Amino acid sequence: MSLFWSIVDFLKETAPFFILFDISVAIALLILGLILISISKKNREQKKKKFVGLVCLSASLLAFLGALSNAFTSYIVF
C-alpha cells in the first residue's frame, strides 16, 4: 500500500509541470489550428489545410481537457 501512496505523492509533485505543459501545448495547437483554418478559407482548394487545422483544434481541446483532469485529480481528489 505504501507503493500506491508514493506513486500518488510523485504525481502530486509533478502535476504543476504537466498542467503547464498541457496548457502551453494546447495554446500552440489552438493558434496553429486557427491559422490553418483561416488560410484554408481564403483558398477554397486547400481542404487539406482545413482538415489539419481541425485536427490541431481537436488536439488542443484534448490537451486542455488533460490539464483540467490533471488539476482536478491532483488538487481536489488527492
Coordinates of all heavy atoms in Angstrom, one line a residue:
M1 N 0.8 -1.2 0.0 CA 0.0 0.0 0.0 C 0.9 1.3 0.0 O 0.4 2.3 -0.5 CB -0.9 0.0 1.2 CG -2.1 0.9 1.1 SD -3.0 0.7 -0.4 CE -4.6 0.6 0.2
S2 N 2.1 1.1 0.6 CA 2.9 2.3 0.6 C 3.4 2.7 -0.8 O 3.7 3.8 -1.1 CB 4.1 2.1 1.5 OG 4.9 1.1 1.0
L3 N 3.5 1.7 -1.7 CA 3.9 2.0 -3.1 C 2.8 2.8 -3.8 O 3.2 3.8 -4.5 CB 4.1 0.7 -3.9 CG 4.4 0.8 -5.3 CD1 5.8 1.4 -5.5 CD2 4.4 -0.5 -6.0
F4 N 1.6 2.6 -3.5 CA 0.5 3.4 -4.1 C 0.6 4.8 -3.6 O 0.5 5.7 -4.4 CB -0.9 2.8 -3.7 CG -2.0 3.7 -4.1 CD1 -2.4 3.7 -5.4 CD2 -2.7 4.4 -3.1 CE1 -3.5 4.5 -5.8 CE2 -3.7 5.2 -3.5 CZ -4.2 5.3 -4.8
W5 N 0.8 5.0 -2.3 CA 0.9 6.4 -1.8 C 2.2 7.1 -2.3 O 2.2 8.3 -2.5 CB 0.8 6.4 -0.3 CG -0.6 6.1 0.1 CD1 -1.0 5.0 0.8 CD2 -1.8 6.9 -0.2 NE1 -2.4 5.0 0.9 CE2 -2.9 6.1 0.3 CE3 -2.1 8.1 -0.9 CZ2 -4.2 6.6 0.2 CZ3 -3.4 8.5 -1.0 CH2 -4.4 7.8 -0.4
S6 N 3.2 6.4 -2.5 CA 4.5 7.0 -3.1 C 4.2 7.4 -4.5 O 4.7 8.5 -4.9 CB 5.7 6.1 -2.9 OG 5.5 4.9 -3.7
I7 N 3.5 6.6 -5.3 CA 3.2 7.0 -6.6 C 2.3 8.2 -6.6 O 2.4 9.1 -7.4 CB 2.5 5.8 -7.4 CG1 3.5 4.7 -7.6 CG2 1.9 6.2 -8.7 CD1 3.0 3.4 -8.2
V8 N 1.3 8.3 -5.7 CA 0.4 9.4 -5.6 C 1.2 10.7 -5.3 O 1.0 11.8 -5.8 CB -0.7 9.1 -4.6 CG1 -1.5 10.4 -4.3 CG2 -1.7 8.1 -5.2
D9 N 2.1 10.6 -4.4 CA 2.9 11.7 -4.0 C 3.8 12.2 -5.2 O 4.0 13.4 -5.4 CB 3.8 11.4 -2.8 CG 3.0 11.2 -1.5 OD1 1.9 11.8 -1.4 OD2 3.5 10.5 -0.6
F10 N 4.3 11.2 -5.9 CA 5.1 11.6 -7.1 C 4.3 12.3 -8.1 O 4.7 13.4 -8.7 CB 5.8 10.4 -7.7 CG 6.4 10.6 -9.0 CD1 7.7 11.3 -9.1 CD2 5.9 10.2 -10.2 CE1 8.3 11.6 -10.3 CE2 6.5 10.5 -11.4 CZ 7.7 11.2 -11.5
L11 N 3.1 11.9 -8.4 CA 2.2 12.5 -9.3 C 1.8 13.9 -8.8 O 1.6 14.8 -9.6 CB 1.0 11.6 -9.6 CG 1.2 10.3 -10.3 CD1 0.0 9.5 -10.5 CD2 1.8 10.6 -11.7
K12 N 1.6 14.1 -7.5 CA 1.2 15.4 -7.0 C 2.4 16.4 -7.2 O 2.2 17.5 -7.4 CB 0.8 15.2 -5.5 CG -0.6 14.7 -5.4 CD -0.9 14.4 -3.9 CE -1.1 15.7 -3.1 NZ -1.5 15.4 -1.7
E13 N 3.6 15.9 -7.0 CA 4.8 16.7 -7.2 C 5.0 17.2 -8.6 O 5.4 18.3 -8.9 CB 6.0 16.0 -6.7 CG 6.1 15.8 -5.2 CD 7.2 15.0 -4.7 OE1 8.1 14.6 -5.6 OE2 7.3 14.7 -3.5
T14 N 4.7 16.3 -9.6 CA 4.9 16.6 -11.0 C 3.7 17.2 -11.7 O 3.8 17.6 -12.8 CB 5.3 15.3 -11.8 OG1 4.3 14.4 -11.7 CG2 6.6 14.8 -11.3
A15 N 2.6 17.3 -11.0 CA 1.3 17.8 -11.6 C 1.5 19.3 -12.1 O 1.0 19.5 -13.2 CB 0.2 17.7 -10.6
P16 N 2.1 20.2 -11.4 CA 2.1 21.6 -11.9 C 2.9 21.7 -13.2 O 2.5 22.4 -14.1 CB 2.8 22.3 -10.8 CG 2.6 21.6 -9.5 CD 2.5 20.1 -10.0
F17 N 4.0 20.9 -13.3 CA 4.7 20.9 -14.6 C 3.9 20.4 -15.7 O 3.8 21.0 -16.8 CB 6.0 20.0 -14.5 CG 6.7 19.8 -15.8 CD1 7.4 20.9 -16.3 CD2 6.6 18.6 -16.4 CE1 8.1 20.7 -17.6 CE2 7.2 18.4 -17.6 CZ 8.0 19.4 -18.2
F18 N 3.2 19.3 -15.5 CA 2.4 18.8 -16.6 C 1.1 19.6 -16.9 O 0.7 19.6 -18.1 CB 2.0 17.3 -16.3 CG 3.1 16.4 -16.5 CD1 3.7 15.7 -15.4 CD2 3.7 16.1 -17.8 CE1 4.8 14.9 -15.6 CE2 4.8 15.3 -17.9 CZ 5.3 14.7 -16.8
I19 N 0.6 20.3 -16.0 CA -0.5 21.2 -16.2 C 0.0 22.3 -17.1 O -0.7 22.7 -18.1 CB -1.1 21.7 -14.9 CG1 -1.8 20.5 -14.2 CG2 -2.1 22.8 -15.2 CD1 -2.3 20.8 -12.8
L20 N 1.1 22.9 -16.7 CA 1.6 24.0 -17.5 C 2.0 23.5 -18.9 O 1.8 24.2 -19.9 CB 2.9 24.6 -16.8 CG 3.5 25.8 -17.4 CD1 2.6 27.0 -17.4 CD2 4.8 26.1 -16.7
F21 N 2.6 22.3 -19.0 CA 3.0 21.8 -20.3 C 1.7 21.6 -21.2 O 1.7 21.9 -22.4 CB 3.7 20.5 -20.1 CG 4.1 19.8 -21.4 CD1 5.1 20.3 -22.2 CD2 3.4 18.7 -21.8 CE1 5.5 19.7 -23.4 CE2 3.8 18.0 -23.0 CZ 4.8 18.6 -23.8
D22 N 0.7 21.0 -20.6 CA -0.5 20.7 -21.4 C -1.2 22.1 -21.9 O -1.6 22.1 -23.0 CB -1.6 20.0 -20.6 CG -1.2 18.5 -20.5 OD1 -0.4 18.0 -21.3 OD2 -1.8 17.8 -19.6
I23 N -1.2 23.1 -21.0 CA -1.8 24.3 -21.4 C -1.0 25.0 -22.5 O -1.5 25.6 -23.5 CB -2.0 25.2 -20.2 CG1 -3.1 24.7 -19.3 CG2 -2.3 26.7 -20.6 CD1 -3.2 25.4 -18.0
S24 N 0.4 25.0 -22.4 CA 1.2 25.6 -23.4 C 1.1 24.9 -24.8 O 1.0 25.5 -25.8 CB 2.6 25.7 -23.0 OG 3.2 24.4 -22.8
V25 N 1.0 23.5 -24.8 CA 0.8 22.8 -26.0 C -0.6 23.1 -26.6 O -0.7 23.3 -27.8 CB 1.0 21.3 -25.7 CG1 0.5 20.4 -26.9 CG2 2.4 21.0 -25.5
A26 N -1.6 23.2 -25.7 CA -2.9 23.5 -26.2 C -3.0 24.9 -26.8 O -3.7 25.0 -27.9 CB -3.9 23.4 -25.0
I27 N -2.4 25.8 -26.3 CA -2.4 27.2 -26.8 C -1.7 27.2 -28.2 O -2.1 27.8 -29.1 CB -1.8 28.2 -25.8 CG1 -2.7 28.4 -24.7 CG2 -1.5 29.5 -26.5 CD1 -2.2 29.2 -23.5
A28 N -0.5 26.5 -28.3 CA 0.2 26.5 -29.5 C -0.6 25.8 -30.6 O -0.7 26.3 -31.8 CB 1.5 25.8 -29.4
L29 N -1.3 24.7 -30.3 CA -2.1 24.0 -31.3 C -3.3 24.8 -31.6 O -3.8 24.7 -32.8 CB -2.5 22.6 -30.7 CG -1.4 21.5 -30.7 CD1 -1.9 20.3 -30.0 CD2 -1.0 21.2 -32.1
L30 N -3.9 25.5 -30.7 CA -5.0 26.3 -31.0 C -4.7 27.4 -31.9 O -5.4 27.7 -32.9 CB -5.6 26.9 -29.7 CG -6.8 27.8 -29.7 CD1 -8.0 26.9 -30.1 CD2 -7.1 28.5 -28.4
I31 N -3.6 28.1 -31.7 CA -3.1 29.1 -32.7 C -2.8 28.6 -34.0 O -3.3 29.1 -35.1 CB -1.9 29.9 -32.1 CG1 -2.3 30.7 -30.8 CG2 -1.2 30.8 -33.1 CD1 -1.1 31.2 -30.1
L32 N -2.1 27.4 -34.1 CA -1.8 26.8 -35.4 C -3.1 26.4 -36.1 O -3.2 26.6 -37.3 CB -0.9 25.6 -35.1 CG -0.5 24.8 -36.4 CD1 0.4 25.7 -37.3 CD2 0.2 23.6 -36.0
G33 N -4.0 25.8 -35.4 CA -5.3 25.4 -36.0 C -6.1 26.5 -36.5 O -6.6 26.5 -37.6
L34 N -6.1 27.6 -35.8 CA -6.9 28.8 -36.3 C -6.2 29.4 -37.5 O -6.9 29.9 -38.4 CB -7.0 29.8 -35.1 CG -8.0 29.4 -34.0 CD1 -7.9 30.4 -32.9 CD2 -9.4 29.2 -34.5
I35 N -4.9 29.4 -37.5 CA -4.2 30.0 -38.7 C -4.4 29.1 -39.9 O -4.7 29.6 -41.0 CB -2.7 30.1 -38.4 CG1 -2.4 31.2 -37.4 CG2 -1.9 30.3 -39.7 CD1 -1.0 31.3 -36.9
L36 N -4.4 27.8 -39.7 CA -4.6 26.9 -40.9 C -6.0 27.0 -41.4 O -6.3 26.9 -42.6 CB -4.2 25.5 -40.5 CG -2.8 25.2 -40.4 CD1 -2.5 23.8 -39.9 CD2 -2.1 25.4 -41.7
I37 N -7.0 27.1 -40.5 CA -8.4 27.3 -40.9 C -8.6 28.6 -41.6 O -9.3 28.6 -42.6 CB -9.3 27.1 -39.7 CG1 -9.3 25.6 -39.3 CG2 -10.7 27.5 -40.1 CD1 -10.2 25.3 -38.1
S38 N -8.0 29.7 -41.1 CA -8.2 30.9 -41.8 C -7.5 31.0 -43.2 O -8.0 31.6 -44.1 CB -7.7 32.1 -40.9 OG -6.3 32.0 -40.8
I39 N -6.4 30.3 -43.3 CA -5.7 30.2 -44.6 C -6.6 29.4 -45.6 O -6.7 29.7 -46.8 CB -4.3 29.6 -44.5 CG1 -3.4 30.5 -43.8 CG2 -3.8 29.2 -45.9 CD1 -2.0 29.9 -43.5
S40 N -7.2 28.3 -45.1 CA -8.0 27.4 -46.0 C -9.3 28.1 -46.4 O -9.8 27.8 -47.4 CB -8.3 26.1 -45.3 OG -9.2 26.3 -44.2
K41 N -9.8 29.1 -45.6 CA -11.0 29.8 -46.1 C -10.7 30.7 -47.2 O -11.6 31.0 -48.0 CB -11.6 30.5 -44.9 CG -12.3 29.7 -43.9 CD -12.9 30.5 -42.8 CE -13.7 29.5 -41.8 NZ -14.3 30.3 -40.8
K42 N -9.5 31.2 -47.3 CA -9.1 32.1 -48.4 C -9.0 31.4 -49.7 O -9.3 31.8 -50.7 CB -7.9 32.9 -48.0 CG -8.0 33.9 -46.9 CD -6.8 34.6 -46.6 CE -7.0 35.5 -45.4 NZ -5.7 36.1 -44.9
N43 N -8.4 30.2 -49.6 CA -8.2 29.3 -50.8 C -9.1 28.1 -50.7 O -8.8 27.2 -49.9 CB -6.7 28.9 -50.9 CG -5.8 30.1 -51.0 OD1 -6.2 31.1 -51.6 ND2 -4.6 30.0 -50.5
R44 N -10.1 28.1 -51.4 CA -11.1 27.0 -51.3 C -10.6 25.7 -51.7 O -11.1 24.6 -51.3 CB -12.3 27.3 -52.1 CG -13.0 28.6 -51.7 CD -14.2 28.3 -51.0 NE -14.9 29.6 -50.6 CZ -15.5 29.7 -49.5 NH1 -15.5 28.8 -48.6 NH2 -16.1 30.9 -49.2
E45 N -9.5 25.6 -52.5 CA -8.9 24.4 -53.0 C -8.2 23.6 -51.9 O -7.9 22.4 -52.1 CB -8.0 24.6 -54.2 CG -8.7 25.4 -55.4 CD -8.5 26.9 -55.2 OE1 -7.6 27.4 -54.5 OE2 -9.4 27.6 -55.7
Q46 N -7.8 24.3 -50.9 CA -6.9 23.7 -49.9 C -7.7 23.1 -48.7 O -7.6 23.5 -47.6 CB -5.9 24.7 -49.4 CG -5.0 25.3 -50.5 CD -4.1 26.3 -49.9 OE1 -4.2 26.7 -48.8 NE2 -3.1 26.8 -50.8
K47 N -8.3 22.0 -49.0 CA -9.1 21.3 -48.0 C -8.2 20.5 -47.0 O -8.6 20.3 -45.9 CB -10.1 20.3 -48.6 CG -11.2 21.1 -49.4 CD -12.3 20.1 -49.8 CE -13.3 21.0 -50.6 NZ -14.5 20.2 -50.8
K48 N -7.0 20.2 -47.5 CA -6.1 19.5 -46.6 C -5.7 20.4 -45.4 O -5.6 19.9 -44.3 CB -4.8 19.1 -47.4 CG -3.9 18.2 -46.6 CD -2.7 17.8 -47.5 CE -1.8 16.9 -46.7 NZ -0.7 16.4 -47.6
K49 N -5.5 21.7 -45.7 CA -5.1 22.6 -44.6 C -6.2 22.7 -43.6 O -6.0 22.9 -42.4 CB -4.7 23.9 -45.1 CG -3.3 23.9 -45.8 CD -2.9 25.3 -46.2 CE -1.5 25.2 -46.8 NZ -1.0 26.5 -47.3
K50 N -7.5 22.8 -44.1 CA -8.6 22.9 -43.2 C -8.7 21.6 -42.4 O -9.0 21.7 -41.2 CB -9.9 23.0 -44.0 CG -11.1 23.3 -43.2 CD -12.3 23.5 -44.0 CE -13.5 23.8 -43.1 NZ -14.7 24.0 -43.9
F51 N -8.5 20.5 -42.9 CA -8.5 19.2 -42.2 C -7.4 19.2 -41.1 O -7.7 18.8 -39.9 CB -8.4 18.0 -43.1 CG -8.4 16.7 -42.4 CD1 -9.6 16.2 -41.9 CD2 -7.2 16.0 -42.2 CE1 -9.6 15.0 -41.2 CE2 -7.2 14.8 -41.5 CZ -8.4 14.3 -41.0
V52 N -6.2 19.6 -41.4 CA -5.1 19.6 -40.5 C -5.4 20.7 -39.4 O -5.2 20.5 -38.2 CB -3.8 19.9 -41.2 CG1 -2.7 20.2 -40.2 CG2 -3.4 18.8 -42.1
G53 N -6.1 21.8 -39.8 CA -6.4 22.8 -38.8 C -7.5 22.3 -37.8 O -7.4 22.5 -36.6
L54 N -8.4 21.5 -38.3 CA -9.4 20.9 -37.4 C -8.8 19.9 -36.5 O -9.2 19.7 -35.3 CB -10.6 20.3 -38.2 CG -11.5 21.3 -38.9 CD1 -12.5 20.6 -39.8 CD2 -12.2 22.2 -37.9
V55 N -7.8 19.1 -37.0 CA -7.1 18.1 -36.2 C -6.4 18.9 -35.1 O -6.3 18.4 -33.9 CB -6.2 17.2 -37.0 CG1 -5.3 16.4 -36.2 CG2 -7.0 16.3 -37.9
C56 N -5.7 20.0 -35.4 CA -5.0 20.8 -34.4 C -5.9 21.3 -33.3 O -5.6 21.3 -32.1 CB -4.2 21.9 -35.1 SG -2.8 21.4 -35.9
L57 N -7.1 21.8 -33.8 CA -8.1 22.3 -32.8 C -8.6 21.1 -31.9 O -8.8 21.3 -30.7 CB -9.3 22.9 -33.5 CG -9.0 24.3 -34.2 CD1 -10.2 24.8 -34.9 CD2 -8.5 25.3 -33.1
S58 N -8.8 20.0 -32.5 CA -9.2 18.8 -31.6 C -8.1 18.4 -30.6 O -8.4 18.1 -29.5 CB -9.6 17.6 -32.5 OG -10.6 18.0 -33.4
A59 N -6.9 18.4 -31.1 CA -5.8 18.0 -30.2 C -5.6 19.1 -29.1 O -5.3 18.8 -28.0 CB -4.5 17.9 -31.0
S60 N -5.9 20.4 -29.5 CA -5.8 21.4 -28.5 C -6.9 21.2 -27.4 O -6.6 21.4 -26.2 CB -6.0 22.8 -29.2 OG -6.2 23.8 -28.2
L61 N -8.1 20.9 -27.8 CA -9.2 20.6 -26.8 C -8.8 19.5 -25.9 O -9.1 19.5 -24.7 CB -10.5 20.4 -27.5 CG -11.1 21.6 -28.2 CD1 -12.3 21.2 -29.0 CD2 -11.5 22.6 -27.1
L62 N -8.2 18.4 -26.5 CA -7.8 17.3 -25.7 C -6.7 17.7 -24.7 O -6.7 17.2 -23.6 CB -7.3 16.1 -26.6 CG -8.4 15.4 -27.3 CD1 -7.8 14.4 -28.3 CD2 -9.3 14.7 -26.3
A63 N -5.8 18.5 -25.1 CA -4.7 19.0 -24.2 C -5.3 19.8 -23.0 O -4.9 19.7 -21.9 CB -3.7 19.8 -24.9
F64 N -6.3 20.7 -23.4 CA -6.9 21.5 -22.3 C -7.7 20.5 -21.3 O -7.7 20.7 -20.1 CB -7.9 22.5 -22.9 CG -7.3 23.8 -23.3 CD1 -7.4 24.3 -24.5 CD2 -6.6 24.5 -22.4 CE1 -6.9 25.5 -24.9 CE2 -6.0 25.7 -22.7 CZ -6.1 26.2 -24.0
L65 N -8.3 19.5 -21.9 CA -9.0 18.5 -21.1 C -8.0 17.7 -20.2 O -8.3 17.5 -19.0 CB -9.8 17.6 -21.9 CG -10.7 16.5 -21.2 CD1 -11.8 17.2 -20.4 CD2 -11.3 15.6 -22.2
G66 N -6.9 17.4 -20.7 CA -5.8 16.7 -19.9 C -5.3 17.6 -18.8 O -5.1 17.1 -17.7
A67 N -5.2 18.9 -19.1 CA -4.7 19.8 -18.0 C -5.8 19.9 -16.9 O -5.5 19.9 -15.7 CB -4.4 21.2 -18.6
L68 N -7.0 20.0 -17.4 CA -8.1 20.1 -16.4 C -8.3 18.9 -15.6 O -8.5 19.0 -14.3 CB -9.4 20.4 -17.2 CG -10.7 20.6 -16.3 CD1 -10.5 21.9 -15.5 CD2 -11.9 20.7 -17.2
S69 N -8.2 17.7 -16.2 CA -8.3 16.5 -15.4 C -7.1 16.3 -14.5 O -7.3 15.8 -13.4 CB -8.5 15.3 -16.3 OG -7.3 15.0 -17.0
N70 N -6.0 16.7 -14.9 CA -4.8 16.6 -14.0 C -4.9 17.5 -12.8 O -4.6 17.1 -11.7 CB -3.5 16.9 -14.8 CG -2.3 16.5 -14.2 OD1 -2.3 16.0 -13.0 ND2 -1.2 16.6 -14.9
A71 N -5.4 18.7 -13.1 CA -5.6 19.6 -11.9 C -6.7 19.1 -11.0 O -6.5 19.2 -9.8 CB -6.0 21.0 -12.5
F72 N -7.8 18.6 -11.6 CA -8.8 18.1 -10.7 C -8.4 16.9 -9.9 O -8.6 16.9 -8.7 CB -10.0 17.7 -11.6 CG -11.2 17.1 -10.8 CD1 -12.0 17.8 -10.1 CD2 -11.4 15.7 -10.8 CE1 -13.1 17.3 -9.4 CE2 -12.4 15.1 -10.1 CZ -13.2 15.9 -9.4
T73 N -7.6 16.0 -10.5 CA -7.2 14.8 -9.8 C -6.1 15.2 -8.7 O -6.2 14.7 -7.6 CB -6.5 13.8 -10.8 OG1 -7.5 13.5 -11.7 CG2 -6.1 12.6 -10.1
S74 N -5.2 16.1 -9.0 CA -4.1 16.3 -8.1 C -4.5 17.3 -7.0 O -4.0 17.1 -5.8 CB -2.9 16.9 -8.8 OG -3.2 18.1 -9.4
Y75 N -5.4 18.2 -7.2 CA -5.7 19.2 -6.2 C -7.0 18.9 -5.5 O -7.2 19.4 -4.3 CB -5.7 20.6 -6.8 CG -4.4 21.0 -7.3 CD1 -4.2 21.3 -8.6 CD2 -3.3 21.1 -6.4 CE1 -2.9 21.7 -9.1 CE2 -2.1 21.5 -6.9 CZ -1.9 21.8 -8.2 OH -0.7 22.2 -8.7
I76 N -8.0 18.2 -6.1 CA -9.3 18.0 -5.4 C -9.4 16.6 -4.9 O -9.8 16.4 -3.7 CB -10.4 18.3 -6.4 CG1 -10.4 19.8 -6.7 CG2 -11.7 18.0 -5.8 CD1 -11.3 20.3 -7.8
V77 N -9.0 15.6 -5.7 CA -9.2 14.2 -5.3 C -8.1 13.8 -4.2 O -8.4 13.3 -3.2 CB -9.1 13.3 -6.5 CG1 -9.2 11.8 -6.0 CG2 -10.3 13.6 -7.4
F78 N -6.9 14.1 -4.5 CA -5.8 13.7 -3.6 C -5.4 14.9 -2.8 O -4.5 15.5 -2.5 CB -4.6 13.1 -4.3 CG -5.0 11.8 -5.0 CD1 -4.9 11.7 -6.4 CD2 -5.3 10.7 -4.2 CE1 -5.2 10.5 -6.9 CE2 -5.6 9.5 -4.8 CZ -5.6 9.4 -6.2

